Amino acid sequence: MDELAEIEVEAGESEEDARVYAWRVEQLSGLGFSHVIASAVASFIDWHEIAGLVERGCSPELALEIVR
């Protein structure tokens, strides 16, 4: 488990929730977001929607604006 996931567990989240959060951060980072931005939005953004937009040619930043 990475450091961010450990912080989530300490904040009262279950270990499973922390793993899901870390996985979402990883997926968003893989789409081109910085780790900082991915960490900031991972809890409330549907990465599937962003992935679809990025795959169709949107920049990660534009996809984030559209989804938000």
Side-chain angles (χ1 to χ4, degrees), residues 1-2 4-6 8-9 13-26:
M1 185 176 348
D2 68 15
L4 288 174
E6 290 174 12
E8 288 293 316
V9 171
E13 298 290 326
S14 73
E15 191 170 322
E16 181 65 21
D17 289 340
R19 283 191 196 126
V20 170
Y21 172 81
W23 181 83
R24 286 179 176 183
V25 170
E26 182 180 323

